[in-house]
Amino acid sequence: MRPGDDFGRRPDGRRAAEAIAEGVRGVPPGEVPERLCVIAVRLLPVTGASASLRGGDGLPVRLCASGGRASYLAEIQATLGDGPCVRAAATGAPVLAPDLRSGADADRWPVFAQQATAVGVYAVHALPLGSGTVCVGTLDLYRDTPGGLTEPELDTARLVAGAMTVSLMALPRGREYDERGGPDSWPDGPADGHDEVHQAVGMIMAQLGVGADEALARLRASAFARGRTARAVARDVLARRERFDRDR
């Protein structure tokens, strides 16, 4: 099935809103963001979608994704600290990159563009989540062919992003609000993963006697050089499977 076949390539706002409402009906609150990523792929001419929260340092923390490739690209942007997702979170405005193969889009994010095209993604469109003054994260849309979004399609993407924002804001903050310890609270997983990176940075600072910025740069560089994510390397550091001072 081609992306968008369920609802047409250019669904009007009412039709898209009805599809979103129907798609999340009866879904537990904690699972709504991931379901919305899947709905975005059904509604739009894209092959993947992910949502990321904006961390305290401004970097993306992957929340959910429609599939493995979308999840990988969200993690890559966090590892690099660069890409459409990072830019959209920083500016609070949509960032549309219709062709990562060459030209302006490839020039803006050369390393991310290379990583994306290597796995068959040639266009990325990132929309901010939040209000006009506060950006809490992004909805990122991935295409396996170059191309932008038409105005009706961009309107639909904004509807999905709006629903994603509402679903996040409706979740209680922390497990203390959820006596069952279940999924119907502010997602714990991404924050835990982000904490792992910060903890690993602290260990690298101690090992090398450097500041936080340099330690984070070393962590990212190590991850990128080996085709891994920053979170994966951080876990090795925390488990003491990897040290950064062995060559000193």
Side-chain angles (χ1 to χ4, degrees):
M1 180 178 294
R2 291 175 58 83
D5 280 352
D6 283 1
F7 302 103
R9 304 287 290 196
R10 298 177 59 183
D12 59 37
R14 180 176 177 181
R15 192 177 179 192
E18 291 173 350
I20 293 169
E22 178 63 27
V24 300
R25 185 170 293 123
V27 176
E31 298 175 15
V32 169
E34 184 174 358
R35 178 62 64 87
L36 287 169
C37 285
V38 174
I39 291 171
V41 175
R42 297 176 65 194
L43 284 172
L44 295 162
V46 300
T47 51
S50 65
S52 295
L53 299 178
R54 188 182 186 192
D57 52 9
L59 296 180
V61 183
R62 181 182 56 79
L63 171 63
C64 57
S66 63
R69 184 163 58 173
S71 179
Y72 169 76
L73 289 175
E75 291 282 4
I76 283 295
Q77 291 183 81
T79 296
L80 296 174
D82 196 19
C85 167
V86 179
R87 181 63 177 165
T91 63
V95 175
L96 310 179
D99 193 349
L100 293 171
R101 300 171 305 173
S102 61
D105 295 331
D107 290 343
R108 278 194 289 179
W109 310 288
V111 180
F112 170 72
Q114 188 276 328
Q115 294 290 305
T117 55
V119 296
V121 170
Y122 300 105
V124 178
H125 306 300
L127 285 80
L129 302 176
S131 66
T133 57
V134 178
C135 177
V136 299
T138 61
L139 170 67
D140 305 304
L141 307 170
Y142 307 96
R143 290 175 56 113
D144 60 3
T145 57
L149 298 175
T150 65
E151 281 302 319
E153 289 164 353
L154 189 55
D155 287 343
T156 296
R158 289 191 179 102
L159 282 175
V160 177
M164 184 83 72
T165 299
V166 170
S167 73
L168 291 173
M169 294 300 101
L171 293 178
R173 268 48 168 185
R175 289 189 179 276
E176 65 270 26
Y177 295 102
D178 184 9
E179 295 179 356
R180 297 169 300 164
D184 297 339
S185 60
W186 186 268
D188 292 324
D192 292 342
H194 204 50
D195 285 346
E196 287 173 343
V197 172
H198 282 297
Q199 291 167 17
V201 165
M203 292 179 67
I204 296 169
M205 290 169 63
Q207 291 169 12
L208 300 179
V210 298
D213 288 346
E214 183 174 346
L216 180 57
R218 295 283 190 98
L219 175 66
R220 287 180 181 154
S222 175
F224 177 70
R226 290 178 290 162
R228 305 181 70 199
T229 65
R231 187 183 301 183
V233 174
R235 287 173 177 161
D236 282 348
V237 172
L238 294 177
R240 293 176 170 75
R241 292 188 294 266
E242 180 165 347
R243 293 185 64 91
F244 280 69
D245 58 353
R246 286 181 174 160
D247 296 329
R248 298 184 71 197

